Amino acid sequence: NAGVTQTPKFRILKIGQSMTLQCAQDMNHNYMYWYRQDPGMGLKLIYYSVGAGITDKGEVPNGYNVSRSTTEDFPLRLELAAPSQTSVYFCASTPFRGPQSIQYFGAGTRLSVL
Amino acid sequence: ELKVEQNPLFLSMQEGKNYTIYCNYSTTSDRLYWYRQDPGKSLESLFVLLSNGAVKQEGRLMASLDTKARLSTLHITAAVHDLSATYFCAVDHGGSNYKLTFGKGTLLTVNP
């Protein structure tokens, strides 16, 4: 099982450039999430989706956009990259089929904006 | 707004010793998670705690939940080097979105 797959693993952007971080899951999970992790700060929720066509903002959405056209894919778009977006980005998904359901995380994308 | 506080943020232990990591949260929740992260790696689920008084154990780790005190603990027994990692607690916001708020994490180093 592939689980949650994120691409690319690493990327360096120049200030003002744009890019899309890809996230795909093959577990038919309805719920998907994007987090960023900054050193010593835990994970902050950027955007989430409860199903295809439905997305909503999390705690730190500014400078990002998402779409969810299929159950499997949940790309995160950075427009006009800024140094403050240097971070490690994690995508996660959960089926939520009961209270024991957990969020499964991808391997992360390490992004530097210079 | 849900706030989650972990302490300590840094913990250096000797092998064979016991210690506890604390996770306090600010609003009522019915689900709390513990995750482990190795350096440069993703997050791995350790425990899901669902009710007041819940206790779960896996190897040298034991997690508990006191919903009245809004407190969870992760107890480490007879630490070994392989337990060195960052441990996060995460609290569910409730409702139907299953959003989590994470603590800042506890960096655990177990020394020989």
Side-chain angles (χ1 to χ4, degrees):
Chain A
N1 287 340
V4 180
T5 302
Q6 291 184 238
T7 55
K9 292 192 184 331
F10 305 94
R11 183 73 184 267
I12 298 174
L13 282 182
K14 294 182 179 178
I15 294 172
Q17 287 185 320
S18 300
M19 78 163 292
T20 299
L21 282 66
Q22 301 291 345
C23 175
Q25 52 90 9
D26 61 357
M27 298 174 283
N28 200 32
H29 289 175
N30 285 330
Y31 301 87
M32 296 187 75
Y33 308 84
W34 274 106
Y35 297 91
R36 59 176 288 171
Q37 183 179 28
D38 300 311
M41 295 302 294
L43 279 74
K44 303 283 188 184
L45 182 64
I46 305 171
Y47 271 95
Y48 66 98
S49 170
V50 300
I54 306 170
T55 63
D56 206 347
K57 295 178 181 178
E59 187 180 356
V60 290
N62 291 344
Y64 307 94
N65 277 301
V66 294
S67 59
R68 183 99 181 269
S69 58
T70 67
T71 299
E72 293 77 20
D73 299 300
F74 190 39
L76 178 71
R77 177 86 176 157
L78 278 71
E79 305 282 1
L80 298 174
S84 61
Q85 292 178 305
T86 294
S87 189
V88 181
Y89 292 84
F90 287 101
C91 178
S93 71
T94 183
F96 205 78
R97 297 195 188 99
Q100 295 285 348
S101 293
I102 63 171
Q103 289 190 15
Y104 296 86
F105 284 80
T109 295
R110 189 174 297 271
L111 176 68
S112 294
V113 182
L114 305 174
Chain B
E1 179 188 352
L2 174 58
K3 294 187 185 299
V4 179
E5 290 190 2
Q6 276 182 248
N7 68 82
L9 298 182
F10 301 93
L11 177 55
S12 182
M13 298 176 62
Q14 282 189 311
E15 281 191 329
K17 299 293 187 182
N18 304 333
Y19 210 82
T20 300
I21 299 170
Y22 297 88
C23 175
N24 290 91
Y25 54 99
S26 61
T27 63
T28 301
S29 175
D30 57 3
R31 265 190 304 276
L32 187 142
Y33 302 79
W34 284 96
Y35 282 87
R36 168 181 171 146
Q37 185 181 36
D38 292 310
K41 302 294 186 182
S42 186
L43 281 78
E44 171 191 358
S45 174
L46 294 173
F47 302 109
V48 182
L49 301 169
L50 300 176
S51 60
N52 190 44
V55 176
K56 290 197 174 178
Q57 183 163 5
E58 180 74 32
R60 301 175 188 274
L61 300 177
M62 183 174 70
S64 66
L65 179 62
D66 181 343
T67 57
K68 294 180 181 176
R70 296 176 189 162
L71 170 68
S72 180
T73 61
L74 180 66
H75 186 72
I76 303 151
T77 301
V80 293
H81 180 69
D82 284 353
L83 290 179
S84 296
T86 299
Y87 294 86
F88 292 95
C89 66
V91 180
D92 192 297
H93 285 226
S96 59
N97 295 326
Y98 312 114
K99 296 190 298 182
L100 300 181
T101 291
F102 282 77
K104 292 184 177 181
T106 297
L107 175 58
L108 171 65
T109 303
V110 181
N111 303 304

